[in-house]
Amino acid sequence: MDTHFTVTPRFAVKMLEKALRLYTPSLSEKPMAEFLADKCDDLGFEDIQIDEVGNVIAKKGSGAPRIMLCGHMDVVPGKVKVRKEGDSLYGRGASDAKAPLMAMLFAAASIQNNNGTIIFVGAVDEEGNATGIKNLVKKKMDIDYAVFGEPSGIKKVTIAYKGRLAINLKISVEDSSHASAPWLSKNAILESMIFARELKEKLEANQEDKSKGMLLTATMTEVKGGTSHNVTPKECETTFDIRIPVDMN
């Protein structure tokens, strides 16, 4: 049966708003998965499933080419009130990446049989450890092309993303001292700060002519240290998130 759907802008915005009202941090995407599976059924998709890790997978159309449209259902932690302001819609995941995900769902719904096959995927844990994508790779899916929905603009296709290097640093000093006499020992947190400053200065140097999207960045994201408010710390654990642009080896 050749089933064709026309999705109006009003309907698309309404469905995106519903998706944004579902708070889905990594590995808590079940409400979004059930919502998408239900919409896939309404829109005439076939072979709809929620796989063993929570990915939503559905098929529309038939024949070649076989194209996967994949977006992620999870968001970074932290709730943002869903609201409309003029022509803009705000909420956690509005940009990254429920809007691209819903756009691909409705684009896939418009395909007609014998014009190719769309494999629609709503993946889990993209903001975490990529559990969803890793499971898709294991499946060795029969596809010719894959397009991933991310907030990279709508006027051109992005062919690469920055790489990521995580550094977990642990600094230990020989002894600690009372905060009233800090000169008696080194301070593990201060030593970490010194390292962080030097790392950032060296890695981010000589980039004055680059656009923001092409910058190498070194960002401290986590710091753990100290055992008491009045004692200098003997240990400090720090995490650095380094993003490497696509033109750098």
Side-chain angles (χ1 to χ4, degrees):
M1 179 179 179
D2 190 358
T3 306
H4 178 71
F5 291 88
T6 299
V7 177
T8 65
R10 183 173 180 273
F11 177 78
V13 171
K14 183 178 179 181
M15 291 301 101
L16 174 57
E17 186 174 353
K18 286 187 176 182
L20 294 178
R21 294 190 184 281
L22 300 173
Y23 180 55
T24 54
S26 300
L27 300 180
S28 298
E29 301 95 341
K30 185 178 179 181
M32 184 69 180
E34 293 175 344
F35 171 75
L36 287 176
D38 183 60
K39 292 304 147 196
C40 285
D41 188 42
D42 291 343
L43 293 168
F45 284 78
E46 300 174 344
D47 300 332
I48 304 166
Q49 60 171 297
I50 298 177
D51 72 9
E52 58 272 19
V53 300
N55 294 323
V56 177
I57 305 173
K59 181 174 74 73
K60 191 77 162 58
S62 61
R66 293 175 61 85
I67 302 172
M68 181 173 74
L69 298 182
C70 180
H72 63 91
M73 300 182 289
D74 60 322
V75 298
V76 296
K79 293 184 178 181
V80 175
K81 184 178 180 180
V82 179
R83 69 188 192 280
K84 291 181 181 178
E85 292 185 9
D87 293 332
S88 298
L89 182 60
Y90 296 85
R92 176 62 76 205
S95 175
D96 187 7
K98 288 184 177 179
L101 178 64
M102 298 304 291
M104 290 192 296
L105 171 67
F106 298 136
S110 68
I111 193 171
Q112 300 183 51
N113 286 340
N114 303 316
N115 285 343
T117 304
I118 298 293
I119 310 298
F120 171 77
V121 177
V124 300
D125 197 30
E126 189 272 350
E127 301 288 0
N129 293 314
T131 303
I133 292 297
K134 290 175 182 176
N135 203 55
L136 293 176
V137 172
K138 288 180 181 178
K139 292 177 184 292
K140 297 182 179 180
M141 300 173 69
D142 179 20
I143 57 173
D144 299 306
Y145 306 98
V147 180
F148 296 88
E150 285 287 338
S152 52
I154 60 174
K155 294 183 179 180
K156 54 187 176 182
V157 175
T158 298
I159 60 171
Y161 260 16
K162 284 184 175 181
R164 178 178 183 267
L165 174 65
I167 296 178
N168 298 313
L169 173 71
K170 182 176 181 179
I171 289 182
S172 299
V173 297
E174 186 175 353
D175 205 351
S176 62
S177 60
H178 194 276
S180 63
W183 55 84
L184 294 177
S185 64
K186 289 187 175 182
N187 184 312
I189 292 179
L190 292 181
E191 295 297 317
S192 295
M193 299 302 104
I194 293 171
F195 176 89
R197 183 174 62 251
E198 293 182 356
L199 177 71
K200 187 175 183 69
E201 289 176 353
K202 289 182 179 180
L203 290 181
E204 296 184 355
N206 304 317
Q207 300 189 98
E208 293 80 8
D209 297 331
K210 288 190 173 184
S211 64
K212 289 183 179 179
M214 295 300 290
L215 291 175
L216 185 151
T217 57
T219 306
M220 180 186 293
T221 56
E222 293 180 307
V223 179
K224 298 178 183 178
T227 58
S228 177
H229 69 280
N230 59 357
V231 176
T232 61
K234 288 183 64 176
E235 293 185 348
C236 180
E237 296 182 14
T238 312
T239 301
F240 299 90
D241 186 309
I242 300 172
R243 300 299 171 115
I244 304 169
V246 296
D247 63 347
M248 182 176 292
N249 294 323

